[in-house]
């Protein structure tokens, strides 16, 4: 039978285990400490700052507490594990990984209306084991939703989305985008944006800095958004910038009009060191598509297909010819008074057995010129 | 594709010079109210141009090459 000292020691140990303290506890304090222990579950209260970052603890001005009831035994209720409505920054900055790690595929989402930066700056999140269900009526902004996260695969998404700017920016674990995550997405917003609304529908920088992306994302996913837009809002603007391992872009979909700005194609394939093929989608008749493009510059000289030594460029003469043959036809735009477009090559690139770009025939150069593109060499 | 017949003329910039657009071109960044928040001049800076029937060498000027 335990002595009185041993009994008090055991009681104190039990109190310390529940209150997570290591302090010495006197018998006089034991009743009050026992009464202060919460029962039936822990309530974790995490605070969200006004700019959306997550911090603990509560009580700081400008913070909105997010309370999740987590029982000590068993799982939280399905309702507690449901994310509804606002989800921006919810798992950002590796602050809420514990939620995913602990409850994984028990988490559900419903009618999310804002998912901006939802998993942003979370390199430790390697997998998202739950679907993302966006609002079907009005859609959700998913700008920067996965930026600089560690995902190698996109979770399944449903509902309507309205803005995919920087969607996969900096996802360096993404080698190939799974082709089933978007099958239930409603893309109609991008096809019907009012002419005076150019902020929504931003699709630029979608794969910016996906340094290990090797394969072009599914065309069906990119094949919406053929509408009037600002130059820097399109899927082209820095779309694949710094995708250092991307090898081919084939049948790239074409938005049909850049309203203003000369930078609509800026950064499109900049520093795609391994790019050996770039072609644009042809029309149903097999000919280059007619576009209202003017004053745009397609840079294929900025370390496109090479790094450091352009004599070994994998984007070479044959690549350039393929690009030129599929270039969209801007003739009507030029005839309507828009400026000529320009395509810029590095003349010494690709000096291997498929030929240097600078050796391009006058016939191929003339083909570009005939479609409203002046050919320039560095 | 429409068949066109026109001459292509090659222009090479002088030593130490590159081509730029004669009429300055700019890129713009906008806020959500479509107000310009940044205006940046763009430059062509290439050594060789092939000018076809839809373009004109007068649309370009030679400027000193900028070494990086």
């Amino acid at each position: 039978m335990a002595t009185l000292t041993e009994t008090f020691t055991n009681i104190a140990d039990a109190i310390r285990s529940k209150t997570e303290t290591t302090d010495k506890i006197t018998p006089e304090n034991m009743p009050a400490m026992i009464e202060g222990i919460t029962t039936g579950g822990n309530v974790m209260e995490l605070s969200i700052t006004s700019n959306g970052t997550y911090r603990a603890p509560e009580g700081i001005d400008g913070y909105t507490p997010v309370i999740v009831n987590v029982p000590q035994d068993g799982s939280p209720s399905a309702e507690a594990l449901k994310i509804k409505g606002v989800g921006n920054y919810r798992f950002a900055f590796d602050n809420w990984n514990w939620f995913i790690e602990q409850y994984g595929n028990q988490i559900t989402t419903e009618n999310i209306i804002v998912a901006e930066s939802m998993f942003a700056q979370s390199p430790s999140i390697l997998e998202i084991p739950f679907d993302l269900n966006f609002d079907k009526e009005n859609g959700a902004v998913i700008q920067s939703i996965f930026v600089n996260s560690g995902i190698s695969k996109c979770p399944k998404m449903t509902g309507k989305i309205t803005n995919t700017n920087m969607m996969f920016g900096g996802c360096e674990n993404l080698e190939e985008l799974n082709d089933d995550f978007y099958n239930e997405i409603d893309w109609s917003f991008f096809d019907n944006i009012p002419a005076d609304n150019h902020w929504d529908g931003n699709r630029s920088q979608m794969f910016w800095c996906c340094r290990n992306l090797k394969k072009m994302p599914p065309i069906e996913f990119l094949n919406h958004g053929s509408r009037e837009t600002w130059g820097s809002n399109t899927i082209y603007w820095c779309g694949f910038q710094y995708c250092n391992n991307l090898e081919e872009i084939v049948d790239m979909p074409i938005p049909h009009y850049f309203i203003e700005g000369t930078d609509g194609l800026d950064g499109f394939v900049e520093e795609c060191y391994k790019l050996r093929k770039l072609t644009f989608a042809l029309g149903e008749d097999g000919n280059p598509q007619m576009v209202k493009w003017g004053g745009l510059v397609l840079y294929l000289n900025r370390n496109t297909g090479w790094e450091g030594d352009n004599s070994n460029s994998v984007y070479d003469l044959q690549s350039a010819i393929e690009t030129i043959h599929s270039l969209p036809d801007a003739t009507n735009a030029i005839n309507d008074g828009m400026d000529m477009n320009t395509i810029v090559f590095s003349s010494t690139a690709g000096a291997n057995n498929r030929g240097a770009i600078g050796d391009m025939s006058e016939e191929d150069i003339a083909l570009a010129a005939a479609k409203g593109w002046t050919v320039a060499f560095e | 594709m429409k068949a066109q017949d026109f001459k292509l003329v090659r222009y090479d910039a002088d030593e130490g010079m590159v081509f730029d657009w004669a009429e300055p071109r700019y890129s713009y960044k906008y806020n959500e109210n479509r107000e310009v928040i940044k205006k940046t001049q763009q430059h062509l800076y290439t050594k060789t141009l092939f000018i076809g029937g839809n373009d004109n060498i007068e649309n370009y000027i030679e400027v000193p090459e900028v070494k990086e």
Side-chain angles (χ1 to χ4, degrees):
Chain A
M1 184 173 173
T3 65
L4 196 60
T5 301
E6 289 170 343
T7 299
F8 275 120
T9 301
N10 292 339
I11 293 172
D13 286 341
I15 293 173
R16 277 188 285 267
S17 72
K18 291 301 181 185
T19 60
E20 297 182 352
T21 63
T22 56
D23 297 333
K24 185 176 179 180
I25 303 173
T26 61
E28 304 82 60
N29 293 330
M30 286 180 181
M33 293 191 74
I34 292 171
E35 284 177 347
I37 295 173
T38 57
T39 58
N42 293 323
V43 176
M44 299 185 186
E45 188 165 289
L46 298 179
S47 299
I48 309 173
T49 66
S50 58
N51 71 357
T53 56
Y54 278 70
R55 303 210 190 250
E58 76 273 24
I60 301 175
D61 288 343
Y63 283 46
T64 303
V66 172
I67 300 173
V68 178
N69 287 310
V70 179
Q72 288 181 319
D73 298 312
S75 297
S77 67
E79 196 59 30
L81 293 174
K82 184 181 292 183
I83 300 173
K84 295 188 289 188
V86 176
N88 57 323
Y89 289 93
R90 177 64 60 97
F91 299 98
F93 301 102
D94 273 340
N95 273 341
W96 263 45
N97 298 2
W98 61 272
F99 199 55
I100 297 177
E101 289 160 9
Q102 195 155 347
Y103 301 110
N105 54 11
Q106 297 177 66
I107 298 169
T108 60
T109 62
E110 182 179 297
N111 289 337
I112 295 179
I113 57 174
V114 182
E116 181 181 344
S117 299
M118 191 171 181
F119 302 90
Q121 314 299 342
S122 293
S124 298
I125 294 181
L126 306 181
E127 182 188 1
I128 301 167
F130 49 89
D131 298 347
L132 298 175
N133 298 302
F134 303 117
D135 180 80
K136 292 186 169 101
E137 189 70 28
N138 299 307
V141 174
I142 64 169
Q143 179 175 347
S144 302
I145 182 173
F146 304 117
V147 73
N148 292 331
S149 72
I151 62 166
S152 58
K153 179 180 176 181
C154 185
K156 180 182 172 184
M157 304 191 299
T158 71
K160 184 183 285 189
I161 56 179
T162 66
N163 185 317
T164 60
N165 166 245
M166 262 296 195
M167 183 175 176
F168 297 102
C171 288
E172 300 203 355
N173 289 336
L174 203 64
E175 293 186 6
E176 178 178 337
L177 199 56
N178 41 308
D179 61 2
D180 61 350
F181 70 91
Y182 62 88
N183 289 342
E184 296 181 46
I185 282 290
D186 176 359
W187 297 105
S188 60
F189 180 88
F190 291 94
D191 296 326
N192 295 288
I193 302 175
D196 60 351
N197 181 347
H198 298 277
W199 189 251
D200 292 317
N202 190 328
R203 310 195 71 198
S204 63
Q205 299 178 285
M206 280 186 69
F207 300 96
W208 177 87
C209 251
C210 287
R211 296 191 185 275
N212 290 300
L213 185 70
K214 292 188 177 66
K215 188 178 171 186
M216 180 181 174
I219 292 176
E220 181 59 28
F221 173 55
L222 298 173
N223 205 23
H224 290 267
S226 293
R227 51 168 292 282
E228 299 185 1
T229 184
W230 294 348
S232 57
N233 268 20
T234 76
I235 54 175
Y236 285 83
W237 195 81
C238 299
F240 295 99
Q241 190 180 33
Y242 307 134
C243 288
N244 302 148
N245 283 287
L246 186 62
E247 296 175 348
E248 292 187 348
I249 296 176
V250 178
D251 295 339
M252 183 69 191
I254 295 178
H256 281 257
Y257 186 46
F258 296 106
I259 286 183
E260 54 197 328
T262 61
D263 57 351
L265 303 179
D266 266 14
F268 174 39
V269 289
E270 184 175 354
E271 292 196 23
C272 290
Y273 298 142
K274 303 285 179 65
L275 190 74
R276 59 170 183 258
K277 185 172 183 134
L278 167 62
T279 62
F280 297 87
L282 300 177
E284 290 181 358
D285 59 0
N287 289 324
Q289 294 192 46
M290 300 299 294
V291 292
K292 286 195 290 183
W293 288 11
L296 299 179
V297 185
L298 177 57
Y299 291 100
L300 295 176
N301 62 323
R302 295 179 177 175
N303 297 326
T304 300
W306 57 278
E307 180 183 11
D309 181 2
N310 60 7
S311 65
N312 293 318
S313 169
V314 295
Y315 187 86
D316 54 20
L317 175 60
Q318 193 60 39
S319 312
I321 292 172
E322 288 174 342
T323 299
I324 282 180
H325 278 244
S326 69
L327 266 182
D329 191 336
T331 307
N332 291 344
I334 307 308
N335 290 339
D336 286 344
M338 296 184 81
D339 290 333
M340 281 288 285
N341 301 293
T342 310
I343 184 167
V344 184
F345 297 108
S346 173
S347 60
T348 55
N352 51 29
N353 58 359
R354 296 212 314 175
I357 300 178
D359 295 334
M360 188 181 297
S361 70
E362 188 172 298
E363 186 179 40
D364 287 315
I365 295 173
L367 185 61
K371 292 190 285 186
W373 295 82
T374 292
V375 174
F377 288 97
E378 266 188 334
Chain B
M1 178 172 133
K2 296 177 186 154
Q4 295 198 36
D5 180 19
F6 59 87
K7 293 189 192 300
L8 201 62
V9 181
R10 173 176 174 151
Y11 294 90
D12 292 294
D14 291 336
E15 186 70 29
M17 305 289 279
V18 291
F19 289 109
D20 198 359
W21 288 293
E23 188 76 25
R25 293 190 182 184
Y26 300 93
S27 64
Y28 300 88
K29 296 292 183 284
Y30 302 86
N31 63 15
E32 58 271 24
N33 297 319
R34 207 182 171 184
E35 296 160 337
V36 175
I37 56 177
K38 188 175 180 183
K39 175 182 174 182
T40 308
Q41 185 172 0
Q42 300 291 296
H43 297 283
L44 185 56
Y45 290 167
T46 58
K47 300 287 284 183
T48 302
L49 292 174
F50 285 87
I51 302 294
N54 291 328
D55 204 357
N56 191 311
I57 191 58
E58 293 180 6
N59 291 328
Y60 305 87
I61 56 174
E62 288 191 49
V63 297
E65 187 173 4
V66 176
K67 298 288 185 187
E68 292 184 4

